[in-house]
Structures are given as structure tokens and as C-alpha cells.
Amino acid sequence: MQSAIDWSRPWYDSIRTAAGFLSADVHFMETLNQQAAALGLRNHQGLPTHFVPQAALPEGTAYEAFIGATGGVPTRENLHDFFNGLVWLTFPRIKVQLNALQAAQIARDGVGKSRGPARDGATIFDENAALLVVRDNADGHALVTALREHQWQTAFVDMRAHFGPDAQVWLFGHALMEKLVAPRKAITAHTRVVWADDEFFTLDHTGRRHWIDAKVTQGLAEHGLSTADFMPMQALGVPGWWPQQDAEFYGDTSVFRPKRQPE
């Protein structure tokens, strides 16, 4: 299963540290549990976070409610849940906060046919989010404006040099990571902007990861979440994430679509 993953791809940078503990000789779930215990991970109820087989989830019990009540994360033998486990080790505070939001909604409203905006937002975040960490200055705001307005040439070509020094993309969604095992130009992330001060860009990789985990968790706790909190961004459009990002590449309007104007 893991042999299908090209770990050299830049979109796996966010989970690279967690992935470094994996071994071909040890089942991935055992490694996940060892690392979760070593990190002292706990859910919002204070219960130890651990990974359990999917069969441990009782029939009729919501996945999010089960995690909240037991600390156990039901895990299947597939890439989807494999990446989910690595994200738990990488951004544990965000994962706990998302689970707390979803568990609270389920406790209040039940599972139901409709998730509602808060659970929809949490599900999108959990499955398909990218975090765009941007320096909070005039150029950073101009870059975000260009992305929100689907001005792809401006964002990805004219402002290309800002990616890295002033703007970084950190993948969070485990379904997004799974899709990128077989990269296609059309794969698009639900992107959440995270504004950062100058200090963030002086930190090492571990320091930035911890900063993101704390900053995003605080924002979720204070403001909640909805589907309106995201903007689309093509993963392979991120400068440096794919070869031959030339005018023809970004000129493909079937992928880099102009923003739909209100009628």
C-alpha cells in the first residue's frame, strides 16, 4: 500500500516527520499508536488518542461521536485512513478541535440526513483542506485577493516569488493526500488562509508545524467553521509543485477557471 506513495513530492512535506517513523517491518497502525502514545495525544474529553480497527466502531454509531467518546480512531487498511493517521500525528490539536465541533453537533442534533453548515465545514476541512500560510502584509493580501478572484496568472506567475518566503501551502486533508498519490492537474484543495507574522517565517519546519497547529485550533475554537471559510486552489498550480508550470499550463481554463460572475 505505502509503496504507491512518492514521498519526495512537496505536497507531503507537512506529514513527512510523522511518516519518517514508518517501517516496512511494522504495521502502520502499530506505529501510529506508538507515536500517539509518545506524543501524549488526547481527545477533547482527555482520553488517549489511539487507532483501532474499523470493526471496533459499533453499527449505528457515528464515526466522530465514537472518537469523542472513546479516543479511538477507527482505521481501515487503505491509504485514506493511513493518511488520516499521519495527520493526527502532525496536527493533533486541529484534529481534536474538528472532532469536538462535530461531536458537539451530533450530540445536539443527532446524525440526521443533513450535516448542517458546521459539520459540512468540518468534514471538508478534515478531508480536503490545504492551509495557505501567508505573511500578513500588503503583498500577502494582494496574493490572497488574486486567488480568491481566480486571477491565476497574477497569483501563480506574477507573484510566484512570494511562494516560499512569504506564502506556504501545508496540506491537511487526508483525502486530498490520497488523491495526490496519482497527481492530476484538476485536483483542487479547499484552501483556508492563515495569516502569519514575520516570526513564523524564521521558525524551522517543526516550529512552523506547531505554530500552525496552535493558530488554526485557536481560530476554530473562537470562530467555528462553515463551508464559506474556504477558497479553491489547484494543488499542482502551487509554484514548484509540478514541472512545466508555463503559460500553457496555467492557461488551461478547464482547470484554472475564471471566477463565475453573478447573473
Side-chain angles (χ1 to χ4, degrees):
M1 180 177 69
Q2 299 173 42
S3 63
I5 304 167
D6 181 354
W7 289 110
S8 70
R9 298 294 196 181
W11 46 82
Y12 293 129
D13 283 352
S14 64
I15 57 169
R16 199 175 305 284
T17 299
F21 291 101
L22 298 167
S23 167
D25 301 324
V26 180
H27 191 277
F28 77 87
M29 199 183 305
E30 182 178 342
T31 302
L32 293 178
N33 279 322
Q34 289 172 349
Q35 291 307 306
L39 294 169
L41 303 189
R42 294 183 176 272
N43 73 358
H44 65 283
Q45 303 276 27
L47 299 171
T49 299
H50 57 289
F51 300 87
V52 299
Q54 182 70 20
L57 178 64
E59 186 175 351
T61 300
Y63 172 86
E64 299 92 344
F66 180 83
I67 296 173
T70 70
V73 181
T75 303
R76 298 165 296 184
E77 295 273 347
N78 59 27
L79 283 173
H80 188 86
D81 289 5
F82 168 78
F83 283 122
N84 184 49
L86 293 179
V87 177
W88 269 100
L89 299 182
T90 302
F91 297 114
R93 295 182 185 180
I94 300 174
K95 293 290 280 190
V96 167
Q97 187 61 35
L98 288 174
N99 178 243
L101 287 171
Q102 292 176 302
Q105 289 285 321
I106 292 169
R108 190 187 72 184
D109 303 328
V111 177
K113 294 182 179 180
S114 174
R115 291 177 180 269
R119 283 188 67 206
D120 276 345
T123 299
I124 288 171
F125 196 129
D126 204 27
E127 297 281 346
N128 203 59
L131 301 171
L132 176 62
V133 187
V134 186
R135 196 183 297 270
D136 191 0
N137 61 15
D139 285 340
H141 283 265
L143 174 61
V144 171
T145 297
L147 289 168
R148 291 195 190 282
E149 294 302 314
H150 297 193
Q151 296 169 354
W152 310 117
Q153 178 75 25
T154 299
F156 289 142
V157 179
D158 299 345
M159 304 192 74
R160 187 181 189 86
H162 291 282
F163 283 88
D166 305 295
Q168 295 187 347
V169 180
W170 293 63
L171 292 200
F172 181 91
H174 55 281
L176 178 60
M177 295 177 186
E178 180 189 15
K179 285 185 282 189
L180 283 164
V181 169
R184 294 176 293 105
K185 193 197 290 192
I187 294 173
T188 300
H190 286 78
T191 305
R192 182 182 176 95
V193 175
V194 184
W195 297 107
D197 57 17
D198 293 340
E199 183 181 359
F200 170 83
F201 294 93
T202 69
L203 301 173
D204 62 14
H205 186 273
T206 299
R208 294 182 188 190
R209 179 167 56 82
H210 288 315
W211 184 96
I212 292 168
D213 201 23
K215 177 77 169 180
V216 174
T217 300
Q218 180 183 6
L220 292 172
E222 292 177 352
H223 306 295
L225 189 62
S226 78
T227 54
D229 294 333
F230 305 98
M231 64 181 183
M233 185 173 66
Q234 304 84 352
L236 301 191
V238 177
W241 279 27
W242 197 248
Q244 297 179 324
Q245 291 175 321
D246 52 18
E248 182 179 357
F249 180 86
Y250 290 114
D252 182 355
T253 57
S254 68
V255 174
F256 297 95
R257 298 176 181 175
K259 191 168 187 178
R260 182 180 298 175
Q261 299 300 318
E263 297 180 0

